Amino acid sequence: MSSAYLAGNASASSSSLHKKSTGDLSKISKIFLIVVVVEAMVILALTLSRVLYHSVFDIHTEEALLLCIETIFMVYFAFNGVINESQFELISFNLVTIIVFIYTTYNKITYHCADQKFLPREVCDGLLWARFACVCIFTPLNCILGWKTYKSFGWKVYRKIGADLRLQAMYRTYQIFSALLKVDLLFGFTLVLGIGLFQIGSRLDLYMGLAMLILTILLVLIGAYAVRHEVRFVMYIFWVVCLFEPAYLIWKIIDARNNPDSFSGHDQTDFAMPAIIFAAAAITVRFTLFVLTIFVFKNFNKGLRRVFAQEEASGEVGPLLR
């Protein structure tokens, strides 16, 4: 009778969590998500218009495509943070928003439009100014709405975890890990594309770039599985794989510095400094993630697995989307 009661209780709790995760959002949350989508659509439209009408595939086209990837991640963090009521996902959203703002500002200052076959200089200037104005308006607006959205969050985590303060602290550590893992994916994915595949100097560069791209995606899958299933051996694999990307980025930066003319025949002046700064940030994020996993590892077999099992039974979004 006792086991039947517990099973029924768990089922009811799972159903409640599922309804909460897919139910009505607060008014401020809806406004926030609408604003984020509008900003993303404007940025993507203006950026892709310039790419489509650009007559050559050069370093600026490559940077524009990377901006599109960052914009997609921005939308993802906003929706994921709101649906799962995760403050750390919203912090990640603000980080990506600031990256988009910095890139757009830097691009507006450094890029000088020239007449192209399908893109007159005046049109190019207009697209850059429109995109710059867009991020200047939306960046502070999104930060304000994001903060108000966070303040409107309910008690989803409390209902999921209960009153156990120790378990709540462990779950917050997991949420930080989950958010940072996806930020690491953003940095790794864009950097490997930017300096690994777009800047190809030899067949070895191509193979290394493809291998690192695969490893970057696998790292997220391995990390999510190791933590949510509390498998120690898989976590050991995660720690080993963590070391590859920083070593690769350092090698690429040194190689580009020593052989500046060997990468696709492009002028690397505009690309070098942003790439170095971004790579330094990516290595910092990876190091922080590595250290954080030590604390996550210490929380294995202390009760979180029950919470994860409850999430999976409730039909909430998959582990990579939490």
Side-chain angles (χ1 to χ4, degrees):
M1 180 176 178
S2 176
S3 60
Y5 172 76
L6 290 174
N9 216 11
S11 176
S13 175
S14 296
S15 176
S16 172
L17 285 172
H18 178 62
K19 289 178 180 178
K20 177 65 180 176
S21 66
T22 57
D24 292 336
L25 302 173
S26 66
K27 184 177 180 180
I28 189 66
S29 296
K30 292 178 181 178
I31 294 174
F32 170 63
L33 293 179
I34 289 172
V35 170
V36 170
V37 170
V38 170
E39 179 191 11
M41 290 177 65
V42 173
I43 291 176
L44 290 173
L46 293 174
T47 303
L48 291 175
S49 295
R50 203 182 110 204
V51 170
L52 292 174
Y53 286 99
H54 209 43
S55 59
V56 293
F57 188 85
D58 61 8
I59 190 69
H60 302 291
T61 307
E62 296 160 5
E63 291 177 348
L65 293 176
L66 295 179
L67 175 63
C68 291
I69 294 174
E70 292 163 4
T71 304
I72 292 170
F73 268 89
M74 181 183 73
V75 175
Y76 166 77
F77 280 123
F79 274 84
N80 199 40
V82 169
I83 291 174
N84 293 301
E85 295 188 356
S86 172
Q87 66 189 90
F88 305 108
E89 295 280 348
L90 290 185
I91 292 173
S92 300
F93 163 80
N94 285 329
L95 174 63
V96 179
T97 300
I98 292 171
I99 291 173
V100 170
F101 174 78
I102 292 174
Y103 165 78
T104 306
T105 303
Y106 177 82
N107 190 247
K108 179 66 190 73
I109 294 173
T110 60
Y111 184 72
H112 304 289
C113 291
D115 287 321
Q116 300 290 337
K117 183 177 181 181
F118 301 107
L119 187 67
R121 182 174 60 83
E122 294 78 9
V123 177
C124 176
D125 280 331
L127 292 174
L128 289 176
W129 271 111
R131 192 175 65 184
F132 177 66
C134 172
V135 297
C136 285
I137 294 171
F138 280 104
T139 298
L141 181 60
N142 279 333
C143 290
I144 294 171
L145 289 175
W147 170 252
K148 290 185 175 295
T149 297
Y150 163 67
K151 299 297 288 185
S152 73
F153 284 172
W155 296 83
K156 182 173 182 179
V157 173
Y158 179 81
R159 286 192 299 271
K160 187 184 298 184
I161 304 298
D164 188 333
L165 296 179
R166 183 180 63 89
L167 203 58
Q168 288 181 19
M170 289 193 297
Y171 192 77
R172 278 195 298 271
T173 302
Y174 162 73
Q175 285 186 312
I176 297 172
F177 165 79
S178 179
L180 196 60
L181 185 65
K182 284 168 271 191
V183 172
D184 181 82
L185 174 65
L186 167 64
F187 276 96
F189 197 75
T190 52
L191 268 172
V192 169
L193 281 177
I195 70 174
L197 294 182
F198 287 161
Q199 306 302 309
I200 298 173
S202 66
R203 191 177 295 272
L204 175 62
D205 289 327
L206 175 62
Y207 293 152
M208 288 287 290
L210 289 174
M212 289 309 305
L213 192 62
I214 294 171
L215 281 177
T216 300
I217 297 172
L218 280 178
L219 185 73
V220 179
L221 299 174
I222 294 170
Y225 183 87
V227 172
R228 294 188 62 82
H229 294 271
E230 298 186 347
V231 183
R232 294 177 181 272
F233 175 73
V234 179
M235 182 57 79
Y236 298 147
I237 297 175
F238 176 84
W239 282 332
V240 173
V241 176
C242 266
L243 302 176
F244 285 100
E245 183 188 295
Y248 172 77
L249 293 177
I250 293 172
W251 169 68
K252 286 293 293 185
I253 290 173
I254 293 175
D255 191 34
R257 187 175 183 277
N258 294 335
N259 304 285
D261 300 326
S262 65
F263 293 90
S264 304
H266 294 317
D267 178 10
Q268 301 300 307
T269 304
D270 292 336
F271 184 76
M273 187 54 64
I276 292 173
I277 294 173
F278 213 63
I283 293 171
T284 302
V285 169
R286 177 60 61 87
F287 175 77
T288 305
L289 181 66
F290 188 94
V291 173
L292 183 62
T293 54
I294 298 174
F295 295 94
V296 174
F297 185 78
K298 291 180 179 179
N299 291 333
F300 280 10
N301 301 319
K302 293 183 179 179
L304 271 183
R305 183 69 189 96
R306 173 185 59 80
V307 178
F308 298 147
Q310 182 176 300
E311 287 178 338
E312 292 163 7
S314 70
E316 291 186 72
V317 287
L320 296 183
L321 301 179
R322 287 192 176 88

